[in-house]
Amino acid sequence: TFSTASDDYIGVSNRLLTFSSSQPTDSVTITINDDTEVEDALERFTASLTIDSGLNLVVTLLPNTATVTIDDNDVVIGFVDPTTTVTESGEATLFVTIMDGTIPSGEQYIVTLTTADDTAN
């Protein structure tokens, strides 16, 4: 899944990087936005390096693209088995678990379970 600037991250355009004999490394920080949307797949975006063709430089950009993968940090809680069959005069035990993600240390998530009539009378 491809991510979208502004929704998933703050895009960068035409950010100049400076290199010299005393500064052989430069960096760019790209802010990743948190959301509450549970994504089915990891999201990705790419960053590319280019050289201003007006400059008379003998430089090779290799590799000239990088891929950033955004790992979803949202928690998914659900029924282990969403369909259960029991006999009359028995009990239905429904197991609910964290299906994906991690609850941060010190936090507690509370969900509500409610039953509703279907064909049972």
Side-chain angles (χ1 to χ4, degrees), residues 54-100:
L55 300 176
N56 189 16
L57 298 175
V58 180
V59 176
T60 301
L61 299 173
L62 191 60
N64 67 336
T65 60
T67 300
V68 177
T69 301
I70 303 172
D71 191 5
D72 192 9
N73 66 345
D74 301 315
V75 176
V76 177
I77 297 174
F79 290 105
V80 173
D81 184 359
T83 56
T84 302
T85 303
V86 297
T87 58
E88 288 186 314
S89 76
E91 294 178 336
T93 303
L94 303 172
F95 292 95
V96 180
T97 189
I98 298 171
M99 307 297 272
D100 191 20

Side-chain angles (χ1 to χ4, degrees), residues 9-73:
Y9 66 97
I10 297 175
V12 175
S13 180
N14 297 319
R15 164 69 161 74
L16 297 179
L17 303 173
T18 303
F19 301 92
S20 67
S21 59
S22 61
Q23 182 180 332
T25 304
D26 201 349
S27 65
V28 175
T29 300
I30 300 170
T31 302
I32 308 301
N33 298 326
D34 198 1
D35 61 24
T36 57
E37 182 178 335
V38 177
E39 289 90 7
D40 291 334
L42 297 176
E43 296 174 299
R44 297 183 308 277
F45 66 90
T46 58
S48 301
L49 297 173
T50 58
I51 298 174
D52 184 340
S53 61
L55 300 176
N56 189 16
L57 298 175
V58 180
V59 176
T60 301
L61 299 173
L62 191 60
N64 67 336
T65 60
T67 300
V68 177
T69 301
I70 303 172
D71 191 5
D72 192 9
N73 66 345

